[in-house]
């Protein structure tokens, strides 16, 4: 094995280290000045992280590509092959975005011979895409909380391009070495990243076109953005001035696959904020009745033949069934404890490669270790880092468990076939993902689960996933965890973020929802009426901000739908009435030029917003303990009673020395007036932060 691209001395050290570490590798070729191997030159293979499931015990299908060749997907692939434009696929969960991206990426690579990087902003989806995190393509830190300003970010991106070509010798992708990027979960990208990517691509690729001519095929689910009812109206990706230039082809995928047709219509209405009272009634009654019917049917199957049971027992059983089927959804505050149990019973284990510390000393080694390490956590596969299952708890499967050994499937995948696994003689699904079961027994290395709907009791061992880079297979991380997801953790935000499978048997309670778009996002996770029960939706639906207005307006434009049927519309940004016909033009101009200041009840030009909001900054006068707006500070410091006493001789608390120095220095009482900026948590509402972010992302 060779470490390519390092300078000779570093390379020699690295080689020795890794050679010592891995006995089985061939002798290093120190004479050739870092000639790329044939693997590295093979198109489309750079930067590939491989994830393999150990086929012993239960084999889980973690790759899950069954519709790459479906008619809907292939029609999108045809469009992508014909056009040279960048494309963006929008849609809610389950609309096939990832499948389309994967199919287009493969077609660009295999049919047009392009070097394609498969990336996502979401680590879990990066794994599902068989790709890498965008951060690894761009050279960004994964866990960095603070984003640098655009200039710094551009510097980081350019530096990474240089590192990839000079030090890593193109063993991984960079924005220069690939011809196309598959960019998933764009809704998670801050504006500044997209703007820097565009600017740096144009510079380093020496091409004035968007992204320097790099083909970008992206997907986004803007309904899943982290916004809450009080969020701002501006500063989102789709409001960037050159958004349409960056993505000339934008499509909305309307069909949630596998979902009941009427339920699909209501899910769309919930997402777009157009649910009527009748729709809510249908949602509540239909889900309730069908769910209870399903519970009865299951029980009847299990107890068929027991006719002597008396009516009372039957009724009791039915009540019990109903209770068991409907797990109430948790709200965010309660669920937090469940999600991060202090003493997990089944922690996930991550086995590091031996001598990882030594390998880290070489730049490429450091980069690879970082990339693999952040890709190998249980959460990246949809499992949990901390699992606390007890006997009697309910949980559902994260992956479909397969029946036969994995060898055929691996061969089939490595042969690059995109046909269905069943057709290639691959293992078939034994227990589908999402099935709800009850923990019967817990052993050290397996959990016995009873799946009542399948009438099966099955031992579930830990899934063992090995993660490595295709060109450095010696560096391996092994992840182990039970592929189970506790039912107690079903709550709006976690389902959306962590769950890859569809949900069954839970309650959508309007009163437990707190976040924008929760109802639509939850509904898009279910397929049939019998999977859930909706209650109290009417209470929730009346609340302001329950659908994210900027996203709704953007999607209306994308789908050529009217924002409203009335002749006039209320602009949430400038708080004015606008004729419906002109609404879109007005909105786009409005959000790019002004913001509403709630303190002054007036619009403020975007260019002056930062300075304006500074005036509303609240500060604490330490002398009198009062919170005062910054604009009133000057007046306050002249009139603050407790402060005026400070330098007077009857202030026993002021040390004589301080008083003398102050008088000698000519400091008047005003200059001694003290002020403390309040911490964010004390402030009633962080308007500054909201507007600050907006300013930063728009300019
Ligand atoms: N054309 C299709 N026909 C039927 N089912 C499909 C089709 N495309 C995708 N699916 C299935 O729909 C489900 C969601 O697909 P995919 O993951 O690609 O969508 P997504 O929009 O990325 O949604 P999610 O956020 O739920 O992952 C998967 O189970 C997939 O197999």
């Amino acid at each position: 094995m060779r470490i390519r691209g390092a300078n000779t001395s570093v390379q020699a050290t690295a080689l020795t280290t890794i050679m010592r570490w891995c006995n089985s590798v061939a002798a290093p070729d120190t004479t050739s000045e870092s000639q790329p191997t044939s693997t590295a030159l093979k198109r489309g293979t750079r930067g590939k992280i491989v994830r393999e499931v150990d086929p012993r015990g239960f084999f889980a299908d973690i790759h899950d590509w069954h519709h790459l060749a479906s008619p809907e997907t292939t029609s999108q692939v045809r469009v992508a092959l014909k056009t040279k434009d960048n494309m963006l696929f929008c849609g809610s969960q389950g609309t096939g975005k990832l499948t389309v991206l994967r199919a287009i990426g493969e077609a660009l690579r295999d049919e047009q011979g392009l070097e394609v990087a498969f990336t996502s902003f979401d680590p879990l989806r990066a794994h599902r895409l068989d790709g890498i995190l965008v951060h690894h393509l761009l050279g960004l830190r994964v866990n960095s909380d603070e984003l640098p300003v655009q200039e710094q970010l551009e510097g980081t991106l350019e530096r990474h391009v240089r590192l990839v070509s000079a030090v890593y010798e193109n063993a991984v992708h960079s924005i220069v070495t690939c011809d196309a990027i598959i960019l998933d979960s764009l809704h998670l990208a801050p504006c500044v990243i997209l703007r820097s990517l565009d600017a740096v691509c144009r510079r380093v690729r020496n091409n004035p076109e968007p992204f320097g001519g790099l083909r970008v095929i992206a997907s986004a689910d803007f309904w899943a953005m982290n916004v809450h009812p009080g969020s701002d109206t501006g500063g989102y990706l789709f409001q960037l001035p050159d958004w349409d230039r960056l993505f000339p082809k934008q499509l909305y995928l309307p069909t949630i696959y596998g979902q009941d047709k009427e339920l699909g219509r209501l899910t769309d209405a919930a997402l777009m904020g157009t649910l009527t009272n009748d729709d809510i009634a249908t949602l509540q009654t239909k889900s309730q009745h069908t769910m209870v019917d399903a519970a009865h049917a299951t029980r009847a199957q299990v107890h068929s033949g027991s006719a002597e049971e008396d009516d009372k027992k039957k009724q009791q059983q039915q009540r019990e069934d109903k209770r068991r089927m409907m797990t109430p959804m948790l709200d965010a505050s309660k669920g937090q404890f469940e999600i991060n149990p202090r003493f997990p019973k089944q922690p996930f284990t991550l086995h590091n490669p031996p001598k990882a510390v030594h390998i880290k000393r070489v730049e490429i080694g450091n980069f690879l270790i970082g990339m693999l390490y952040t890709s190998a956590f249980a959460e990246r596969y949809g499992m949990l880092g901390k699992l606390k299952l007890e006997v009697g708890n309910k949980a559902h499967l994260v992956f479909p468990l397969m029946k036969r050994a994995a060898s055929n499937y691996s061969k089939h995948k490595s042969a690059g076939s995109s046909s269905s696994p069943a057709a290639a003689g691959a293992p078939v699904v034994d227990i589908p993902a999402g099935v709800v079961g009850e923990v019967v027994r817990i052993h050290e290395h397996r959990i016995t689960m009873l799946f009542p709907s399948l009438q099966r009791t099955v031992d579930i061992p830990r899934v063992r996933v090995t993660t490595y880079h295709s060109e450095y297979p010696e560096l391996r991380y092994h992840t182990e965890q039970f592929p189970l997801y506790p039912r107690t953790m079903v709550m709006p935000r976690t389902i959306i973020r962590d769950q890859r499978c569809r949900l069954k048997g839970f309650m959508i309670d309007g009163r437990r929802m707190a976040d924008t778009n929760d109802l639509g996002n939850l509904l898009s996770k279910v397929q049939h009426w019998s999977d859930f029960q909706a209650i109290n939706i009417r209470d929730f639906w009346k609340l302001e901000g329950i659908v994210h207005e900027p996203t709704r307006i953007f999607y209306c434009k994308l789908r050529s739908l009217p924002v409203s049927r009335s002749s006039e519309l209320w602009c949430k940004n400038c708080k004015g009435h606008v004729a419906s016909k002109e609404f879109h033009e007005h909105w786009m101009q409005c959000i790019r030029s002004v913001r509403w200041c709630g303190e002054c009840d007036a619009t403020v030009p975007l260019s002056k917003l930062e300075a304006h909001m500074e005036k509303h900054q609240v500060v604490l006068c330490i002398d009198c303990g009062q919170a005062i707006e910054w604009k009133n500070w000057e007046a306050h410091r002249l009139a603050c009673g407790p402060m005026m006493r400070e330098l007077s001789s009857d202030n026993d608390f002021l040390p004589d020395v301080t008083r003398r120095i102050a008088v000698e220095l000519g400091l008047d009482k005003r200059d001694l007036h003290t002020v403390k900026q309040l911490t964010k948590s004390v402030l009633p509402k962080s308007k500054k932060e909201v507007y600050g972010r907006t300013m930063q992302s728009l300019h």
Side-chain angles (χ1 to χ4, degrees), residues 683-699:
L683 284 171
K685 203 193 250 173
S686 175
K687 286 240 164 85
K688 170 115 193 331
E689 200 184 62
V690 172
Y691 286 108
R693 178 178 59 75
T694 309
M695 291 292 293
Q696 203 188 21
S697 48
L698 278 177
H699 292 289

Side-chain angles (χ1 to χ4, degrees), residues 364-380:
I364 174 70
N366 191 21
F367 179 75
L368 280 177
I369 289 276
M371 183 160 82
L372 294 173
Y373 179 71
T374 47
S375 307
F377 281 94
E379 289 86 351
R380 308 309 197 224

Side-chain angles (χ1 to χ4, degrees), residues 67 70 72-73 92-99 125 128 257:
H67 297 94
S70 69
E72 297 86 355
T73 314
S92 67
Q93 299 163 82
T95 47
K97 298 181 296 298
L98 210 63
T99 310
R125 288 172 69 92
R128 286 181 56 202
Y257 288 112

Side-chain angles (χ1 to χ4, degrees), residues 291-338:
M291 192 163 182
V292 175
D293 289 348
H296 294 172
T298 313
R299 178 55 57 187
Q301 265 180 2
V302 176
H303 288 285
S304 58
S306 56
E308 69 279 1
E309 272 185 347
D310 62 0
D311 276 359
K312 217 174 170 189
K313 251 187 171 178
K314 254 188 200 165
Q315 277 172 7
Q316 205 179 354
Q317 196 60 63
Q318 283 170 359
R319 273 200 299 275
E320 172 66 8
D321 280 338
K322 201 172 155 189
R323 193 188 61 75
R324 282 172 62 135
M325 288 288 284
M326 295 172 208
T327 310
M329 192 172 61
L330 291 188
D331 56 29
S333 56
K334 190 160 179 250
Q336 206 54 40
F337 298 102
E338 307 272 351

